[in-house]
Amino acid sequence: KDWIKATTTAGGHRRFLRQDVEEFARQRGMELSSDGPPRVLVVDDNRSFARYLADLLASQPLDIETETAHDGFDAGRKVLQFDPATVLLDLKMRGMDGFSVCRQLKDDANTKDIRIIAMTGYYTPENEAKILQVGAEACLAKPFDKAVLFDVMGLDMTAETKSLAGNSGIDQHAM
């Protein structure tokens, strides 16, 4: 019925921008409840890149809470402690890789609804197909454009964020 504008991810999931849902609710006299600001866990074995993404997201006017993890085992622990709505997940890490982390999160009834957005410096169509098959909703090839990341996450990239972020691409030195 097209009541709310939606995008469809590569994994076939529909995503709505927060402001569109809020407008829909307001027009119909509905009140939305919130459990607080959205939480995003950034999982990447490159500590400077993980911190860079966490800082970029935390600079959003939406007041996003971020945490970082640097391997698959740490990711599992942080998911239980931090309870993120979204996980930005690197595919290639020592020990437990991103494919295994995604599979375990999607196989667990308590974590299966967490949004997983994969990211990799070793992008291949096979890797993308494999991570989408185990439950991620998108796979971004590093380096990726900030606007693409925000779009996949359903965030509106504001003028304030654009000025904080500098150019539109993710800094390669941070990777």
Side-chain angles (χ1 to χ4, degrees):
K1 298 202 180 218
D2 295 329
W3 290 344
I4 303 176
K5 186 174 108 183
T7 59
T8 304
T9 69
H13 304 278
R14 290 202 174 135
R15 292 293 171 224
F16 306 92
L17 289 177
R18 181 181 202 90
Q19 63 264 25
D20 292 338
V21 173
E22 289 170 349
E23 177 65 20
F24 176 83
R26 189 172 47 258
Q27 289 175 349
R28 287 161 179 76
M30 299 163 61
E31 212 173 296
L32 298 176
S33 64
S34 173
D35 294 340
R39 294 175 169 211
V40 178
L41 176 63
V42 180
V43 183
D44 199 306
D45 56 350
N46 182 322
R47 290 175 184 269
S48 63
F49 186 66
R51 179 75 302 182
Y52 172 78
L53 285 179
D55 289 347
L56 177 67
L57 293 170
S59 72
Q60 282 291 289
L62 187 56
D63 193 30
I64 298 170
E65 289 184 28
T66 61
E67 276 284 335
T68 59
H70 305 293
D71 61 50
F73 296 105
D74 193 27
R77 187 176 57 79
K78 292 269 179 101
V79 162
L80 295 176
Q81 292 173 345
F82 182 60
D83 191 29
T86 303
V87 173
L88 298 180
L89 181 63
D90 187 24
L91 292 183
K92 300 291 185 180
M93 298 179 288
R94 292 181 190 188
M96 185 185 296
D97 64 17
F99 299 102
S100 298
V101 172
C102 184
R103 187 177 301 107
Q104 287 189 4
L105 291 175
K106 292 303 182 177
D107 286 347
D108 185 317
N110 295 317
T111 58
K112 68 179 176 63
D113 293 326
I114 294 174
R115 295 178 64 199
I116 298 175
I117 299 169
M119 50 190 185
T120 183
Y122 303 97
Y123 177 84
T124 65
E126 294 80 17
N127 280 344
E128 179 179 29
K130 184 177 174 184
I131 195 64
L132 294 177
Q133 183 178 15
V134 295
E137 67 179 57
C139 182
L140 305 177
K142 294 179 189 175
F144 46 82
D145 190 288
K146 294 174 189 93
V148 171
L149 173 65
F150 286 11
D151 184 52
V152 168
M153 292 183 70
L155 301 174
D156 194 21
M157 190 169 181
T158 65
E160 176 183 335
T161 303
K162 286 179 186 174
S163 69
L164 286 171
N167 65 26
S168 64
I170 298 285
D171 295 332
Q172 290 199 21
H173 76 274
M175 292 177 35

